[in-house]
Amino acid sequence: MNSFLDESVFTLNSGEWRALAPYLYLSAGLALATIAAGYRWSRAALRVLATIVLVPFMLALVWDLRVPPQFVFGTSLEVNALTRIAGALVSALALLSAFFTKSTEERDHPEWLLLLLTSVLGMSLLPGTRDWVSFFVALETLSIPAFILVALDTNREKSLQAGLKYLLMGAFASAILLMGIALFYGFSGSLDFEKTREMLSGPSPVGRALAVTAFLLVSVSLAFKVALAPFHMWAADVYQGSPTGVAAFLGTATKVSVFAGLMVMLQLTGAYALPEVVKVLMALSMISVVVGNLVALAQTKIRRMLAYSGVANAGYAGLAMAAGPESMTSVLVALGLYGAALICVLAWTESMISSSGRASHEDVAVSELGELLAPRSAWMVGSFALAIFSIAGLPPLPGFLGKYLLLQDIWRAGHVASAAVLVLGSLLGLAYYLRLFMPLFQAGTSAKSGTRASFGATFAGVLSTILLFAALLGFSRMTQWVEYVEGFAR
Amino acid sequence: MDLPLEPLLRWIILLPVIGAILNGVFLRSKNGILSGLLGTAAAVGAFIVTLVVIGRVPDSHGTVLALDPWFTWMKTGDLEVAFQLEVTPLTRVMLLVVTGIGSLIHLYATGYMSHDKSPWRFFAYLNLFLAAMLSLILSSNLVGVFLGWEGVGLCSYLLIGFWFEKDENAAAGMKAFVTNRVGDLGFVLALMVIFAYTRTFEMSKLVEIAQAGQIPAWVWLTAAAGIFWASTGKSAQIPLYVWLPDAMAGPTPVSALIHAATMVTSGVFLITRVWPIFAGQPAVLDVVLWGGLATAWIAALTALTQRDIKKVLAYSTVSQLGFMFVALGCGSPAAALFHVVTHACFKALLFLGAGSVIHGMHEKQDLFEMGGLRHHMKWTHLTFLAGVLAIIGFPLTSGFFSKDMIIAKAMIRGAVPGMLLIGAALVTSFYMVRAYTLAFWGEARSKEAAHAHESSPIMLAPLVVLAVLSIFVGWFETPEVFHGPTKFSNWVLQSWYGVSPAGHEGHLSHAMEWILMGVVSALSLGVAWYSFTKYRVFRHGGSKATALHRVSENKFYVDEIYAFLILRPLKFATGKVTKFVDVYVINGFLHALRDGARISGQVLSLFHTGSVQVYGWYLAVGTVLVLLFVRWWAV
Amino acid sequence: MTLLFLALPFVGALVLFLLGKKARFAQVFNLVLQLAWLALMFFVHGQSREIAGNGGFPLVYSWKWLPQLKSSLSLGIDGLNLPLLWLTVILSLCLGLYAYGKDKLDGSYLGLFSVLNGATVGSLLAADALAFYIFWEFMLIPMYFLIGKWGSKNRVYAALKFFAMTMGGSLLMLLAIVALAFRPDVSDLGWHSLTQLALPWDGQWNSWQGLLFVGFFAAFAVKIPVWPLHTWLPDAHTEAPTGGSVILAGVLLKLGVYGLLRWCLPIVPQASMAAAPLMFALGVAGILLGSFAAWQQTDIKRLIAYSSVAHLGFMVLGVFSGNVEAMQGAVFQNIAHGLSTGAMFLIFGMIYDRTHSRELDAYGGFAKDHAWIATLFLVAVFASVGMPGLPGFVGEFLVLVGTFAVAPWTAVLASLGVLLGAVYMLTLVRKMMFGPTSSLVASHPVRLGWNEWAAILPLIALMLYLGFGAQTLLGLSETDLRELAVKLR
């Protein structure tokens, strides 16, 4: 097992080159974005560049899933089916949210694409990491650009405040993560996941408590990242403060990548064998389901409400995660569908706001939704409603299938309590999702023709609705597609 | 033996139905005569078909004279209900009565209702009623009878509330329907019990199974009690007779047809039809006997002081029905059936006569404002007199024979019931003659009475026919002493599908019968003469009303007692209960859930202050909690 | 063919949404859509004529749409769901006719209606637990919008209450279905494989059968509604627009009873029979308290809604007494109540469109110059009161007779419902139709257009026919219920 420092680790053979090719392409794209930022390209040009970079990257990743897994840089990174799929999902969500990321100034900061692509790179690599150093590096490349993205709208005090808040909380969480990693090193003498598994798999491994504490510290830090319950405080303010596109990106892509990374880490380090860790994860998720739904019930602003519904949905995924490694498929599918639906809702909110002449980052109150929705065409209201109901998890919509998969895996693991909490949560969630439509009932049909709807947001909305229904129709093939992941987890 | 299939039977019901549909849906003509004649044609058509069917039946046949398995109504599991019609000697008589008298009343109504706003609606309902009554009589199983039973209840509701503009009429209609429905609960109970233990509704099979006796006795007791309770509802016995006097709100032909001749006798008819079930239940028969006596007496006493001519006749009907139930109670369905037929004739006659009087007096019904009508309304007076003679049991009239037969059966049963019945008969003759003399003798006490005009011939013809009938129909069933025909007894015996129930038909000695006849008729004529002389010189506002007089006039305050004891408290209590349960308990619980969620949401949202320092604090405390959590709980 | 029959309403809905604000054009298209749907129904009936009548639950279509979830979209037709399919198609045609010419009922209203029809037909046809659940839940969304947007005063409260209560119940059913999906002996969630499961029953309620029963029954109990869970019905009925009330009373409530007979009883027979005594108590409570509550109401639609609670109490008794007669009674009453209450709501809806008042005391003497409307309303009232010769009687009679054999005292108490039914219904008729003409009725004459007559007459004709022609329906579902009765014994 080559140690971390000797140089053979860095001489890549042809297999490794082929495995890294998509990521290198992405890095090249990233560099190009830096140059584009320099020349202050227009918003449209940047979006075209984003498409040119991300679409080929996605295709390259999922072109041939039957390629055997390939270790790169010694054992620190493994590019297998799971990493590829997670990377593709993340970049898809990133691309969608890129379409309506903008700040209020005329010539906004073109470097947002650069930050976005860096974050995508970090997210797509995270599930592939096999030792703590690369795990930490991936996690940081993922979150640092995010801090800046949140503060993108420099002339809006709320955005800056949100960015700073996110930065401080992020730093705090990274500190806890490092503490955890240090404990791991102390426990297993090496930073490799495999090593921890060996140490743990002994009959009564010495320092078991040490390992458990390490796992908890890491889970707490990751829980912060995906805004699981006690650590979700930042979510609402960041969602409200950051530009809509960024909020969409953070709310969806981060969850997919961190959950995937966490589950892989837990599986590889044998954490699933430790009942304490599983119980903590289950507890965290349950709290976040209950707290997320209840607080969302009390919200009047849409983006804040969606933030807390995000916390609740993270809770649902957490419950499935705690149910065991086999639920990887359902977690990925559920979070993917939730992401697409959330982006659709945020895209339509953005296009409504821009068409009504309001400042784009104003958080719309639920009561004002009536006049905003009223003048829009039946199609737009229809797709907005379907996206909302998909997040709520009502049948025939894709969200329900995601939730059903989660329920299936929870039931397979026999966690009846979690199943009950999930069902209770979705019932509670119903209340505030339905409340979104009540102003629509009261609003008269005042056909106030707003200014031209922003092309980006509408395009993103339409695209995500199509994506949702494509997922619904191709659901059976999609689950087979992710079966490869199952192969890996067992 | 081959069943005498007779597809013509269904036309007896179909003709009135077609008449109702033509009148009610297609014709709807304002012209009273046209719709009246159409209705009468339907009724007469049914009468003719009845005659044809009866004509074709060879006399020496068993119980089922004609059978028409029309169609299967319900067939599921082992429940099978066919809409099947059959004629037995018993139903043959009722058929003749209903279609015959029905046609006469339809003819009379053509004249009576010619000036009404919507005569087509009246004749549609009347035809529908006829169809329902005929299906009640013809049906071969209890469910078909129940169909007819509720059908006549519906039609009487529609007809009583015919002039629905006035709320009292609508209220009277509803009271009739609801009171009948209270009775029908008994019928439903009987149906349920019978099916649960015999798995069939066909009366032919029921009668055999009742006789065979391997079914537990309480089943037949419940069935008999249920059917009796239903009959008190339909045939206006205590305690469910309160609807009949109010039913006078309907047009007079309705009162004549439904509340005198046909519907009210369906209770007696049904008990006679399933007599073997009742024969074995002495307890139920006693209740029937004493119930009948009580009804006869209370109704007769109430009729004594009524001012409205139709109310007098209504209470008289209730009282005569009491007589019929006494006959049943004494174990002699033949006497009851005979009285049903004779009563149908003379009571219909009296009601139509009253209708003609009211028509002549321009819708005035108050006896105190009549008087001396014999000068202006000769034919009505004569026919009304014939009716009165029949009802008070003037020798050789139909009433004499049928009432005497019942009194004889009562005497056999026991001295007390006999004496009470005779008393009731005397009271009957008193109030009937009172009504007669107030209306036709003395001087005219109002200008309408002075200028009263005779009704048109179309109304008088039926009166004459009925008068003839009510005099001579008595000869069908003469007491042994006369050694004359006893048609009704053997008709009734034949119609129990070959089963002869145990019933103890005791005999009076010849001498006793002669004495009985002589004494009763003498007494009743004496009372009649006294009432005649008393009311010939009647002065309005004469004697001071005694307490008893006032009680009787306000019908023993029965309606007020019912309202006070049952209706008002029930409505109040249920109102409170349902409001409390639905609004406070269930909705309260649901709203508590909703508010609980909302409030806990608000409380939790207080934690999100928005300041980073606080968040940092939460993060730290959270981590520590997680570690401690693991330390205590999970390990 | 059946798939086309199922898909047509959804396709129609898309087009109707497109038409949006152009009300008249949408209404015409909707009429064409309903007629096409009726024609398809004839084909479906023709195709399934020979297989429907003789038991089993013959599948007419199957598509493996979610193999990982052990579910496939399989559709079946038999004696139980065929009559309800007919009822749905006919009621939606009548409502299409009724909606013609009313500007408020635009494309989106009709589109939502079409989606609702599609979902209802989907859950009727579904022969797979997950497919049934998906369509069952799908019905809620359009109904929520129909009540929420086109209802009257406090429609929002009613819509949310309706959605939340029904959803609460059905989530328990979802848990039951997931649990079933994970039993090793369940190959797929199809009706046939689920009903062949011989789940052991030892009287414990926390056994497999017990919990599955609770799960399934919860969803159907809210929908029927069984007595304590009924408080959403009066609100939903009163606040829903006429079309909403008709389809809610006509079809949606029926799915609860249908669900019991299709999914709850066959899968957990012993548990259902063990729960029968409780169900009898709830059924009788529903009848009596429903009737008493109806007697107090001053709001006409609320009165009719509570009458539905009472009638459905009968059906609960019928379903749980477990013998063929009672179950046939429940199935027949399902159709009869759908027709009579649907007709009552439709007729009153037309009156309400002119008078805009639901207060009973404001009405009076309506029959005086609206003879025909009053007559049709009376036919519907007497059908609902259970007058022999009209379908209501056959249903209630069979239920009472069947229940008496199993639970005599329950049947006796239930027969009180027949009397109470007469009391509150005739109070409604007396106050509304008879007596002196009130100012409201005098000032708002009700003149029905051709389409409104065409909307009521089929319902009245069906009621008059089914009064005596009951055997057409009873014959259909005889073998299916016989098999169920054998299983329940």
Side-chain angles (χ1 to χ4, degrees):
Chain A
M1 201 288 290
N2 41 35
S3 77
F4 190 76
L5 294 177
D6 65 30
E7 77 296 335
S8 70
V9 161
F10 293 97
T11 56
L12 302 172
N13 57 33
S14 69
E16 284 165 350
W17 275 114
R18 222 177 308 104
L20 277 183
Y23 300 99
L24 293 176
Y25 174 80
L26 181 59
S27 327
L30 192 133
L32 196 62
T34 329
I35 300 161
Y39 283 99
R40 305 191 73 78
W41 279 16
S42 76
R43 222 181 270 160
L46 282 174
R47 284 184 187 142
V48 166
L49 178 61
T51 330
I52 295 165
V53 169
L54 283 175
V55 170
F57 171 66
M58 271 198 294
L59 292 179
L61 277 179
V62 290
W63 190 253
D64 183 1
L65 282 174
R66 273 179 296 284
V67 163
Q70 169 66 43
F71 272 89
V72 181
F73 308 118
T75 59
S76 62
L77 187 65
E78 181 192 8
V79 179
N80 61 9
L82 169 63
T83 333
R84 290 168 181 277
I85 290 169
L89 196 53
V90 160
S91 44
L93 293 172
L95 183 61
L96 274 178
S97 40
F99 281 112
F100 57 102
T101 312
K102 65 178 171 31
S103 63
T104 46
E105 293 118 14
E106 278 6 352
R107 307 283 301 149
D108 56 12
H109 302 271
E111 67 276 10
W112 62 269
L113 182 59
L114 152 69
L115 297 167
L116 194 78
L117 293 179
T118 332
S119 190
V120 164
L121 183 63
M123 286 182 191
S124 44
L125 285 176
L126 183 62
T129 54
R130 288 299 171 269
D131 64 20
W132 284 112
V133 172
S134 49
F135 187 88
F136 183 71
V137 162
L139 197 65
E140 287 317 308
T141 38
L142 176 149
S143 32
I144 291 168
F147 302 147
I148 309 157
L149 268 173
V150 167
L152 190 66
D153 205 347
T154 46
N155 68 357
R156 204 160 61 80
E157 188 266 343
K158 241 184 175 327
S159 174
L160 285 173
Q161 190 198 0
L164 188 61
K165 221 178 271 181
Y166 194 27
L167 172 69
L168 286 174
M169 296 301 285
F172 199 77
S174 304
I176 293 175
L177 178 64
L178 277 177
M179 180 63 182
I181 292 172
L183 286 181
F184 268 117
Y185 186 71
F187 164 73
S188 63
S190 123
L191 288 173
D192 219 346
F193 291 163
E194 274 310 306
K195 206 67 176 70
T196 328
R197 169 194 284 275
E198 276 146 29
M199 291 299 282
L200 264 179
S201 54
S204 66
V206 72
R208 185 172 181 289
L210 188 64
V212 164
T213 331
F215 272 119
L216 291 182
L217 285 176
V218 167
S219 338
V220 158
S221 147
L222 290 178
F224 157 77
K225 197 57 87 181
V226 287
L228 274 177
F231 317 101
H232 67 289
M233 300 299 174
W234 57 273
D237 308 336
V238 165
Y239 265 55
Q240 220 169 9
S242 63
T244 330
V246 171
F249 175 64
L250 285 186
T252 53
T254 337
K255 285 196 174 64
V256 168
S257 134
V258 170
F259 262 110
L262 181 58
M263 285 182 80
V264 162
M265 181 274 288
L266 289 173
Q267 162 65 8
L268 287 181
T269 54
Y272 275 114
L274 302 173
E276 302 91 333
V277 172
V278 171
K279 282 204 176 63
V280 159
L281 289 176
M282 205 154 73
L284 284 183
S285 315
M286 280 193 195
I287 300 166
S288 49
V289 164
V290 171
V291 164
N293 280 316
L294 282 182
V295 176
L297 208 59
Q299 296 310 320
T300 51
K301 293 276 196 277
I302 291 181
R303 284 252 291 272
R304 233 180 137 71
M305 178 195 279
L306 288 174
Y308 287 111
S309 111
V311 168
N313 276 290
Y316 300 143
L319 288 174
M321 174 181 68
E326 307 81 20
S327 43
M328 172 64 82
T329 326
S330 55
V331 166
L332 275 182
V333 166
L335 285 178
L337 290 176
Y338 163 71
L342 183 66
I343 287 176
C344 177
V345 168
L346 287 174
W348 286 126
T349 340
E350 175 67 17
S351 89
M352 274 190 295
I353 295 170
S354 59
S355 78
S356 70
R358 222 191 285 260
S360 113
H361 303 306
E362 213 56 47
D363 191 357
V364 172
V366 173
S367 49
E368 294 149 354
L369 198 58
E371 319 98 66
L372 285 177
L373 273 176
R376 305 307 293 269
S377 74
W379 280 106
M380 183 252 155
V381 173
S383 97
F384 180 79
L386 290 181
I388 288 281
F389 280 123
S390 174
I391 299 177
L394 281 176
L397 298 167
F400 166 71
L401 294 175
K403 200 158 277 185
Y404 187 81
L405 277 174
L406 292 180
L407 206 57
Q408 213 180 11
D409 284 322
I410 292 171
W411 197 272
R412 176 189 291 133
H415 296 187
V416 175
S418 340
V421 164
L422 189 137
V423 159
L424 176 70
S426 58
L427 182 62
L428 268 175
L430 197 65
Y432 55 83
Y433 290 128
L434 287 177
R435 231 155 26 105
L436 282 180
F437 296 104
M438 287 188 192
L440 192 67
F441 300 154
Q442 265 93 12
T445 53
S446 61
K448 175 166 63 56
S449 69
T451 56
R452 194 184 57 74
S454 82
F455 168 73
T458 329
F459 179 75
V462 168
L463 198 61
S464 50
T465 324
I466 296 161
L467 197 80
L468 268 174
F469 283 98
L472 183 67
L473 292 179
F475 187 78
S476 50
R477 209 163 29 58
M478 192 172 72
T479 36
Q480 275 138 17
W481 197 35
V482 181
E483 227 64 54
Y484 296 108
V485 175
E486 295 277 324
F488 146 76
R490 248 174 297 293
Chain B
M1 49 105 178
D2 60 345
L3 284 175
L5 290 179
E6 179 58 271
L8 216 54
L9 266 181
R10 64 189 70 170
W11 283 104
I12 300 179
I13 297 178
L14 276 181
L15 280 177
V17 168
I18 294 165
I21 292 170
L22 283 180
N23 251 332
V25 175
F26 298 107
L27 198 60
R28 301 165 73 91
S29 82
K30 286 279 184 289
N31 166 347
I33 304 295
L34 186 63
S35 41
L37 288 181
L38 177 63
T40 319
V44 167
F47 182 59
I48 292 163
V49 171
T50 317
L51 292 180
V52 164
V53 163
I54 288 170
R56 280 217 286 229
V57 164
D59 212 6
S60 67
H61 227 288
T63 304
V64 179
L65 308 176
L67 186 73
D68 178 1
W70 195 348
F71 62 89
T72 318
W73 186 9
M74 296 182 236
K75 184 176 182 327
T76 162
D78 37 13
L79 174 137
E80 194 191 340
V81 175
F83 198 86
Q84 185 173 280
L85 312 176
E86 69 180 10
V87 176
T88 64
L90 168 66
T91 48
R92 179 173 52 185
V93 170
M94 282 304 283
L95 263 184
L96 285 173
V97 164
V98 168
T99 46
I101 294 185
S103 315
L104 287 175
I105 290 175
H106 270 76
L107 189 65
Y108 175 90
T110 316
Y112 190 85
M113 296 299 278
S114 54
H115 310 302
D116 191 272
K117 281 203 312 314
S118 53
W120 52 271
R121 196 159 58 90
F122 179 77
F123 284 100
Y125 292 155
L126 216 58
N127 276 358
L128 206 62
F129 166 81
L130 210 59
M133 189 66 199
L134 291 170
S135 79
L136 188 152
I137 292 167
L138 283 168
S139 171
S140 79
N141 57 45
L142 279 176
V143 180
V145 170
F146 187 67
L147 165 74
W149 196 269
E150 292 262 330
V152 287
L154 166 70
C155 296
S156 92
Y157 164 74
L158 294 172
L159 283 164
I160 294 169
F162 181 67
W163 292 313
F164 54 76
E165 285 81 12
K166 288 218 293 300
D167 192 40
E168 310 83 40
N169 300 350
M174 185 178 145
K175 181 175 182 180
F177 189 83
V178 171
T179 324
N180 278 332
R181 255 283 152 104
V182 172
D184 295 353
L185 285 188
F187 204 128
V188 169
L189 174 67
L191 288 176
M192 290 195 288
V193 156
I194 287 172
F195 181 74
Y197 284 84
T198 62
R199 310 306 282 176
T200 173
F201 292 111
E202 288 303 324
M203 277 188 238
S204 44
K205 297 201 197 68
L206 277 185
V207 165
E208 278 143 30
I209 297 171
Q211 215 51 30
Q214 79 270 41
I215 304 280
W218 68 268
V219 169
W220 298 117
L221 181 69
T222 338
I227 292 178
F228 170 65
W229 176 252
S231 317
T232 55
K234 197 63 77 179
S235 303
Q237 293 297 292
I238 297 240
L240 296 177
Y241 74 101
V242 288
W243 63 273
L244 189 56
D246 293 4
M248 293 307 121
T252 313
V254 171
S255 318
L257 178 62
I258 297 179
H259 305 126
T262 50
M263 180 173 115
V264 284
T265 56
S266 45
V268 177
F269 164 75
L270 178 61
I271 293 179
T272 324
R273 187 125 162 69
V274 285
W275 182 251
I277 295 180
F278 277 78
Q281 308 297 338
V284 174
L285 287 182
D286 286 348
V287 168
V288 169
L289 171 66
W290 292 104
L293 273 175
T295 317
W297 264 100
I298 289 180
L301 291 179
T302 324
L304 279 176
T305 55
Q306 292 306 322
R307 294 177 55 143
D308 175 340
I309 187 168
K310 283 177 75 174
K311 281 279 188 337
V312 172
L313 294 178
Y315 282 107
S316 145
T317 305
V318 174
S319 171
Q320 296 301 316
L321 286 165
F323 278 71
M324 299 177 204
F325 273 82
V326 164
L328 286 174
C330 303
S332 156
L337 185 68
F338 183 34
H339 196 57
V340 158
V341 173
T342 54
H343 175 268
C345 299
F346 58 71
K347 189 48 70 56
L349 170 61
L350 289 172
F351 262 110
L352 295 187
S356 162
V357 161
I358 294 164
H359 200 65
M361 292 264 290
H362 307 303
E363 311 315 326
K364 275 279 179 301
Q365 302 185 341
D366 188 344
L367 281 169
F368 290 177
E369 285 166 14
M370 298 182 188
L373 293 179
R374 67 185 186 290
H375 310 301
H376 314 294
M377 308 173 74
K378 282 210 175 11
W379 285 98
T380 314
H381 168 233
L382 282 178
T383 49
F384 198 88
L385 176 60
V388 168
L389 290 180
I391 195 167
I392 64 173
F394 189 85
L396 299 185
T397 60
S398 63
F400 167 76
F401 285 108
S402 64
K403 206 175 275 192
D404 182 67
M405 185 174 179
I406 297 176
I407 291 172
K409 297 295 177 203
M411 289 306 269
I412 297 165
R413 184 68 169 65
V416 171
M419 286 306 158
L420 281 174
L421 206 59
I422 293 170
L426 297 185
V427 173
T428 311
S429 55
F430 181 83
Y431 66 68
M432 276 319 292
V433 171
R434 163 181 175 271
Y436 166 70
T437 35
L438 280 177
F440 290 96
W441 289 82
E443 298 78 22
R445 283 187 285 281
S446 71
K447 69 174 176 39
E448 287 87 1
H451 312 295
H453 60 80
E454 181 55 290
S455 308
S456 58
I458 193 169
M459 287 167 69
L460 290 179
L463 286 179
V464 168
V465 170
L466 280 173
V468 165
L469 269 178
S470 58
I471 300 296
F472 297 108
V473 92
W475 291 100
F476 276 93
E477 174 80 22
T478 53
E480 289 94 22
V481 175
F482 282 47
H483 307 301
T486 56
K487 279 270 189 310
F488 278 87
S489 309
N490 38 43
W491 278 344
V492 157
L493 283 176
Q494 279 168 8
S495 53
W496 291 324
Y497 309 97
V499 164
S500 58
H504 47 75
E505 292 275 0
H507 287 286
L508 282 176
S509 63
H510 285 293
M512 190 54 183
E513 276 202 31
W514 277 111
I515 299 161
L516 201 65
M517 273 194 284
V519 163
V520 166
S521 42
L523 277 176
S524 111
L525 288 181
V527 163
W529 182 253
Y530 166 71
S531 153
F532 177 71
T533 50
K534 179 171 192 293
Y535 286 101
R536 255 165 68 87
V537 292
F538 177 78
R539 209 51 82 247
H540 192 33
S543 60
K544 186 181 60 48
T546 63
L548 193 63
H549 186 286
R550 236 182 299 104
V551 160
S552 147
E553 197 164 10
N554 295 318
K555 48 186 172 26
F556 294 86
Y557 302 104
V558 166
D559 288 337
E560 294 71 14
I561 293 169
Y562 277 4
F564 179 72
L565 279 182
I566 304 166
L567 293 180
R568 228 168 279 122
L570 189 65
K571 176 134 189 172
F572 176 77
T574 50
K576 283 283 173 289
V577 163
T578 43
K579 187 160 177 29
F580 175 73
V581 164
D582 266 14
V583 173
Y584 298 112
V585 172
I586 303 175
N587 275 349
F589 173 67
L590 294 174
H591 291 166
L593 282 180
R594 178 197 60 189
D595 301 340
R598 198 153 36 80
I599 292 160
S600 49
Q602 268 136 15
V603 161
L604 280 173
S605 63
L606 294 179
F607 286 92
H608 303 75
T609 51
S611 82
V612 179
Q613 296 76 357
V614 170
Y615 289 170
W617 224 103
Y618 287 143
L619 193 58
V621 165
T623 322
V624 167
L625 269 181
V626 161
L627 293 177
L628 294 177
F629 169 84
V630 162
R631 195 49 200 77
W632 285 321
W633 184 66
V635 165
Chain C
M1 181 55 72
T2 326
L3 187 66
L4 183 59
F5 173 74
L6 174 61
L8 187 63
F10 293 112
V11 170
L14 288 180
V15 174
L16 283 166
F17 280 130
L18 260 178
L19 295 174
K21 293 287 177 284
K22 294 195 279 298
R24 185 50 51 83
F25 198 67
Q27 284 156 3
V28 167
F29 176 78
N30 180 40
L31 273 181
V32 168
L33 178 73
Q34 300 304 346
L35 288 173
W37 208 30
L38 186 67
L40 262 178
M41 184 63 210
F42 276 104
F43 280 108
V44 164
H45 187 90
Q47 178 206 5
S48 64
R49 163 170 299 289
E50 65 291 341
I51 55 172
N54 42 34
F57 185 24
L59 295 186
V60 285
Y61 174 81
S62 191
W63 165 41
K64 280 213 163 313
W65 63 351
L66 295 168
Q68 304 82 356
L69 314 180
K70 294 192 186 177
S71 152
S72 56
L73 177 66
S74 40
L75 307 175
I77 289 188
D78 76 344
L80 285 183
N81 60 11
L82 202 55
L84 281 170
L85 288 174
W86 273 109
L87 184 64
T88 318
V89 169
I90 290 165
L91 271 182
S92 59
L93 178 62
C94 295
L95 287 175
L97 282 165
Y98 163 75
Y100 180 76
K102 296 188 171 49
D103 303 339
K104 205 156 71 67
L105 311 181
D106 56 9
S108 43
Y109 171 88
L110 296 169
L112 283 170
F113 233 101
S114 199
V115 167
L116 180 64
N117 285 341
T120 321
V121 160
S123 52
L124 278 172
L125 287 168
D128 172 281
L130 189 58
F132 172 76
Y133 180 78
I134 287 179
F135 284 114
W136 171 270
E137 282 285 316
F138 192 17
M139 283 192 293
L140 296 182
I141 303 173
M143 199 64 211
Y144 172 72
F145 281 107
L146 281 174
I147 299 178
K149 184 131 174 49
W150 284 274
S152 47
K153 254 186 340 308
N154 60 350
R155 54 184 181 272
V156 174
Y157 166 78
L160 187 61
K161 189 173 187 180
F162 161 76
F163 203 110
M165 282 182 84
T166 321
M167 181 77 171
S170 351
L171 281 175
L172 290 177
M173 182 160 74
L174 177 64
L175 279 182
I177 293 175
V178 166
L180 268 176
F182 268 90
R183 281 181 63 84
D185 51 8
V186 167
S187 58
D188 71 66
L189 285 170
W191 186 81
H192 294 281
S193 64
L194 287 183
T195 41
Q196 268 122 28
L197 278 176
L199 299 169
W201 169 251
D202 49 11
Q204 254 50 18
W205 277 105
N206 55 16
S207 67
W208 261 100
Q209 275 226 17
L211 291 176
L212 282 181
F213 173 77
V214 169
F216 276 111
F217 180 71
F220 302 133
V222 173
K223 194 75 159 184
I224 289 180
V226 177
W227 174 64
L229 306 168
H230 67 291
T231 49
W232 62 271
L233 185 70
D235 297 327
H237 267 246
T238 331
E239 302 309 331
T242 317
S245 313
V246 170
I247 209 77
L248 194 64
V251 176
L252 291 188
L253 302 189
K254 308 300 163 298
L255 272 162
V257 177
Y258 169 75
L260 279 179
L261 286 171
R262 173 73 72 214
W263 294 102
C264 185
L265 259 58
I267 295 177
V268 279
Q270 286 78 15
S272 317
M273 283 306 114
L278 172 66
M279 295 308 138
F280 289 150
L282 292 181
V284 167
I287 295 172
L288 297 183
L289 289 177
S291 309
F292 287 141
W295 197 16
Q296 314 298 334
Q297 296 308 326
T298 53
D299 175 327
I300 292 178
K301 271 180 119 176
R302 245 178 132 70
L303 191 147
I304 302 177
Y306 271 111
S307 88
S308 298
V309 173
H311 286 291
L312 288 158
F314 271 102
M315 292 183 220
V316 170
L317 295 188
V319 165
F320 277 96
S321 31
N323 52 38
V324 180
E325 295 84 7
M327 283 196 280
Q328 281 277 33
V331 167
F332 191 87
Q333 175 80 340
N334 230 356
I335 305 292
H337 174 268
L339 286 174
S340 63
T341 314
M344 266 195 279
F345 270 122
L346 192 56
I347 296 171
F348 180 71
M350 292 172 190
I351 299 171
Y352 179 75
D353 288 345
R354 275 83 174 174
T355 56
H356 298 296
S357 153
R358 294 200 303 262
E359 276 319 309
L360 189 51
D361 308 331
Y363 284 89
F366 184 81
K368 194 150 161 304
D369 29 24
H370 306 90
W372 267 114
I373 307 175
T375 323
L376 296 185
F377 191 75
L378 265 174
V379 168
V381 160
F382 277 108
S384 130
V385 154
M387 176 56 62
L390 291 169
F393 166 73
V394 176
E396 267 165 26
F397 175 70
L398 287 175
V399 164
L400 284 176
V401 161
T403 315
F404 189 88
V406 177
W409 287 109
T410 316
V412 168
L413 280 175
S415 67
L416 279 179
V418 169
L419 165 67
L420 293 172
V423 168
Y424 61 75
M425 270 303 167
L426 290 186
T427 325
L428 165 70
V429 165
R430 182 179 147 214
K431 283 211 184 103
M432 183 173 165
M433 292 293 172
F434 301 144
T437 311
S438 75
S439 60
L440 179 79
V441 171
S443 56
H444 299 80
V446 177
R447 292 290 165 266
L448 297 186
W450 67 271
N451 61 332
E452 282 165 324
W453 286 116
I456 315 172
L457 290 181
L459 297 181
I460 304 290
L462 254 176
M463 270 195 276
L464 291 176
Y465 166 69
L466 279 181
F468 289 105
Q471 204 44 38
T472 39
L473 285 185
L474 295 178
L476 260 179
S477 46
E478 181 66 15
T479 29
D480 304 299
L481 290 177
R482 274 234 169 101
E483 280 164 13
L484 185 55
V486 162
K487 195 190 271 275
L488 289 173
R489 209 154 291 133

